Amino acid sequence: MSESIKMTTMQKVKWAILLIVLVALWMIPCGDVYTQQVKHFCMISVAGIYMMAFELVPAFVAALSIPTGYWLLSVAPAATVFSAWTQQVPWVLLGSLLVAQIMNKTGLSKRLAYSLMIVGKGNFYVVMAMLIVAGAIIAAFVPAAVARAALFGSIALSLADAMEWEADKKHAIILFSVVGLAATGCSYMLMTGTNSDLVVAGVLESAGYPISWAEWAFYNMIPGIIEIVAAFLLIALMFRNHDGKESKKMDSQAIYAYIKEQYKTLGKPDAQEKKATVLFAVILILLLTSNYHSFNPGQIFMLLALMAFLPGIGLLEAGDAKKINYSTLFLVAGCVAIGDVANSLALGDVFVDLVMPLLPDSIMGLSAISFIICFFGNMLMTPVALGSTLTLPIIKIAEYLGCNPYGLTMIFWTSCGATVFPYEAASDLLIFSYGKISMKNWIKVGIVRSLVLFIGRFILYIPWFKLLGLL
């Protein structure tokens, strides 16, 4: 028999803190509000979120323990506890994971990235801009910022090595900062940008505010793109005179030649890649025209993903399905269950009654507070945990103020992109692990990104949402 894994001292401390918190919740006397059901809900939710946030167990295990706990302790009927599976969210995720496998298998994502970079004709800053464009496009089909970070990170690493750009020097810093913008920064603009977006969409749907893929994009693309462009320009400006000589001077012709050579190695698009291109075009058209047909994003992704297995199309095979990370499905469904059960217990209304007297009654004030909560919450919790626990209260606060919940929810959720340290997002951690940016300069980049997001709440999102009638 294999030996059990020994816990570190820090892990023991974390488990001890969780135990103390659970005992404290258990010791609180039940009453009209804090009923036995609510007590069990709080204990199960806190345990699941805590284990997820502090990585005491795999994230999907922590998420799976939440609905299982609700079910075992009869916090809510099974139909409510597992209602996430009857919504579109898990099916959007499963379908898009299969579609992402097509993009990876056919090499279409890499071809897209290099073909856009060629447009820059070797101009360093235009090439960087094209990487961001590629990130925004691929985010529509690949619901994992980590996967996009791996794709763009490998491209950036090979480019930096070929151009002999030294680590933590001007061009390496800007290049890998752009990879962060392309992978992580684009996550919040599209509903399929990351698993956490789907959790928020699921909570919205559970609360009676379903949102389509096209609506999510319409609400967030314009201000999101402006913020990313602003962050890119400020980062480029900040490091324009970065100390230290490059081991090789940046040469536009050399960059252009290298990118063309990499594109050439991909060869001509074969039949499979052409089929994949048509498939993605159909998906995008259906997603953008949701007002003209009855299919929701989950149905669109699942239908076309399953069609990819059919003879004559053959974009996917049985072996490809085995490569899908199905644990993310349970992660998303488990997090959505928190909102479903909390809504069934009317805890959102209770929360509003308790905290509303302490909050400003203006959109400006609430936007500032939600940003601060997200900024510091990222240092302690994962985006999934933030989205699953705070989205419903945000919706209820919006209802209390008599404004459209979509606007305040989007302002809150997009604020979660404000990160400073690499560990706050798995995709950022992967990019940082390439070793091309020091921690000092990564923090500088994170501060710039966060400041842009904070200011963007007031000069972009609030005016835009008021124009759309969302605030």
Side-chain angles (χ1 to χ4, degrees):
M1 295 178 64
S2 60
E3 295 183 3
S4 59
I5 300 175
K6 293 183 179 180
M7 289 192 294
T8 65
T9 301
M10 182 56 68
Q11 288 176 320
K12 292 177 181 178
V13 171
K14 291 177 180 178
W15 279 110
I17 292 173
L18 175 58
L19 181 60
I20 292 170
V21 171
L22 293 179
V23 170
L25 290 172
W26 176 258
M27 295 297 291
I28 298 174
C30 293
D32 294 335
V33 176
Y34 195 68
T35 63
Q36 192 71 22
Q37 280 182 309
V38 173
K39 176 184 286 190
H40 289 159
F41 170 83
C42 292
M43 293 180 67
I44 294 165
S45 302
V46 167
I49 294 168
Y50 184 95
M51 290 188 295
M52 191 187 309
F54 292 98
E55 300 179 337
L56 294 178
V57 297
F60 88 94
V61 174
L64 190 59
S65 70
I66 293 172
T68 303
Y70 295 154
W71 185 28
L72 290 174
L73 296 182
S74 300
V75 176
T80 300
V81 171
F82 299 108
S83 62
W85 295 100
T86 66
Q87 300 168 21
Q88 64 166 318
V89 170
W91 306 106
V92 172
L93 178 58
L94 178 56
S96 56
L97 286 172
L98 289 167
V99 169
Q101 182 63 24
I102 296 172
M103 184 170 274
N104 181 59
K105 182 180 180 180
T106 61
L108 184 58
S109 55
K110 185 169 286 190
R111 184 180 298 278
L112 173 63
Y114 278 123
S115 61
L116 286 170
M117 290 168 70
I118 285 176
V119 174
K121 294 188 180 299
N123 182 291
F124 177 73
Y125 295 103
V126 177
V127 170
M128 296 301 97
M130 290 300 102
L131 263 180
I132 295 173
V133 172
I137 295 173
I138 294 175
F141 307 104
V142 182
V146 173
R148 298 195 299 275
L151 168 66
F152 296 125
S154 62
I155 291 174
L157 188 63
S158 63
L159 177 60
D161 290 343
M163 296 297 106
E164 298 181 16
W165 293 333
E166 296 180 35
D168 214 34
K169 302 301 182 185
K170 173 183 175 180
H171 299 108
I173 294 172
I174 295 175
L175 172 60
F176 281 84
S177 297
V178 164
V179 171
L181 292 173
T184 310
C186 292
S187 295
Y188 298 91
M189 295 192 300
L190 298 166
M191 193 170 81
T192 46
T194 181
N195 299 337
S196 304
D197 293 337
L198 293 170
V199 169
V200 173
V203 176
L204 278 166
E205 185 175 352
S206 300
Y209 299 98
I211 183 169
S212 70
W213 188 94
E215 287 172 333
W216 186 296
F218 184 58
Y219 298 158
N220 296 300
M221 280 290 285
I222 292 177
I225 289 172
I226 294 173
E227 286 181 340
I228 288 175
V229 170
F232 168 52
L233 293 175
L234 287 174
I235 291 168
L237 183 65
M238 182 168 60
F239 291 103
R240 70 189 187 284
N241 296 319
H242 192 62
D243 293 338
K245 293 182 179 180
E246 299 283 359
S247 58
K248 182 176 181 180
K249 185 179 179 180
M250 185 178 69
D251 185 336
S252 297
Q253 291 184 343
I255 296 174
Y256 188 40
Y258 174 78
I259 294 173
K260 287 201 299 182
E261 181 63 30
Q262 292 302 305
Y263 184 82
K264 187 177 179 181
T265 61
L266 298 175
K268 293 183 178 181
D270 57 17
Q272 292 297 86
E273 195 171 340
K274 291 177 180 177
K275 291 178 187 177
T277 303
V278 173
L279 177 69
F280 294 136
V282 172
I283 290 174
L284 193 58
I285 291 170
L286 289 174
L287 289 173
L288 292 174
T289 58
S290 57
N291 291 334
Y292 303 99
H293 57 75
S294 60
F295 299 114
N296 64 42
Q299 294 168 324
I300 293 169
F301 273 101
M302 283 303 301
L303 174 62
L304 295 175
L306 292 176
M307 286 178 61
F309 287 96
L310 294 177
I313 299 179
L315 287 171
L316 290 175
E317 301 172 337
D320 296 315
K322 296 177 182 179
K323 300 175 183 177
I324 301 298
N325 182 11
Y326 294 100
S327 65
T328 57
L329 290 172
F330 296 99
L331 170 63
V332 169
C335 291
V336 171
I338 297 174
D340 290 341
V341 175
N343 199 39
S344 73
L345 297 174
L347 291 181
D349 296 324
V350 173
F351 175 85
V352 170
D353 291 338
L354 290 174
V355 306
M356 203 60 216
L358 306 175
L359 296 176
D361 57 1
S362 69
I363 294 299
M364 290 285 190
L366 286 172
S367 298
I369 288 176
S370 66
F371 178 88
I372 292 170
I373 290 172
C374 292
F375 181 78
F376 289 103
N378 279 329
M379 299 180 186
L380 300 173
M381 303 171 67
T382 63
V384 171
L386 283 170
S388 57
T389 55
L390 296 180
T391 300
L392 182 61
I394 292 292
I395 293 171
K396 294 300 181 181
I397 289 172
E399 290 177 342
Y400 180 90
L401 294 175
C403 65
N404 192 319
Y406 291 114
L408 194 57
T409 299
M410 290 298 114
I411 286 174
F412 150 71
W413 180 238
T414 53
S415 296
C416 288
T419 60
V420 173
F421 302 102
Y423 76 86
E424 295 178 45
S427 51
D428 283 349
L429 187 59
L430 175 60
I431 296 166
F432 180 74
S433 69
Y434 285 110
K436 294 296 184 179
I437 307 180
S438 66
M439 179 63 75
K440 178 182 70 175
N441 286 321
W442 184 278
I443 292 173
K444 289 180 182 178
V445 170
I447 291 173
V448 168
R449 286 166 50 178
S450 298
L451 283 174
V452 168
L453 286 177
F454 180 72
I455 296 171
R457 307 301 92 188
F458 307 106
I459 66 173
L460 293 173
Y461 274 89
I462 291 177
W464 174 239
F465 284 167
K466 284 185 176 180
L467 182 64
L468 297 178
L470 298 181
L471 290 176

